[in-house]
Amino acid sequence: PKYDNLLADCLKIRKDLALCDWAYIKLVEKVCAQVYGNSNNRESVVFESYILTQSGFDVLMARSSDNSRLHMLMASDSDIFGSPYWNISDRHYYLLDKSGTKSLYIFTESFPETKPMRLIMTGENKFAAKSSKPRDLKSKRYPDMTASVAVNENLLSFYNDYPSYFEKGDRYTKWRAYAQVPLDKVTKDMLYPALRSYVKGKSENEAVNIILNFVQTAFVYGYDDEVWGGDRPFFSEETIYYPFSDCEDRSILFSRLVRDIVGLEVVLLYYPNHLATAVRFNEDVSGDYLTLKGKKFVVCDPTYVNARVGMTMPKMDNSKAIAVTL
């Protein structure tokens, strides 16, 4: 009964805070570690598997080949970069404990009516607000377009180990995972009023040009390999918080701002070694464009500094660009 009470408490927190699957899984992991003192010991693994299974997740138990440790395998509806998995009954079960274990004995019997975790986030997790020190952001072409913006540090901690993933069989959708996530209330309440006030009364073309230059010039460019030691796309809040960002980070943020502030449809454009965007305007806008399912999308590159709407970065071929819909 005490376990049922704890399960009920976890599910209530999940509902009250509108936690996505990954946030809930991390909550359960922390609870089990608190109860058993270590998230990797046998008791904690069994208990975590129990709570998650009773919460509707498809998990399997496994032990290392030398019988030294128990492991939990989590079924996922998406493919996760950099994590080993086993294909069982047409589902991918991922080892997420970073143990490096490659050989497992797996108990393959799963509980009925359980589902893989869903990594796609489309809503806001209601984490407690812990505002960072505000960062002053300013457009160079429109110097009056300024904003002092903070982010929720609790959200940054959560994003820090969020799995990088792509939808089944399509690696280009990895950026959609970041671009689909709405900005947190802490950040929106500081940034959006300034943007909306500045673009008020402007045409769609003018408004997007303002946002485009803001993203192009308010941030400092930095290569992931130099800053992080490897590829790391950012959620929008991370681009605002961290001192450096690259083409994929800016494209993700720009796509979010245009959709929220101007209300226009945006796609991401992947060229070899570069990511940009294209916007579908309701008015006639000149410049480079692509046609997707009969719709005209005008190129907007948030990394091509001072380029206006309709300008493609040199050496990028729009005829070979791959569009990622949002």
Side-chain angles (χ1 to χ4, degrees), residues 174-187:
K174 75 170 185 175
W175 298 291
R176 181 186 292 153
Y178 300 87
Q180 291 292 66
V181 180
L183 271 169
D184 182 74
K185 188 176 186 299
V186 169
T187 304

Side-chain angles (χ1 to χ4, degrees), residues 129-135 148-154 156 186-187 190 237 240-242:
K130 181 184 177 184
S131 294
S132 66
K133 180 181 177 180
R135 181 181 183 183
S148 182
V149 187
V151 302
N152 187 347
E153 291 186 350
N154 290 324
L156 291 177
V186 169
T187 304
M190 299 183 76
E237 288 88 355
I240 291 169
Y241 178 79
Y242 291 115

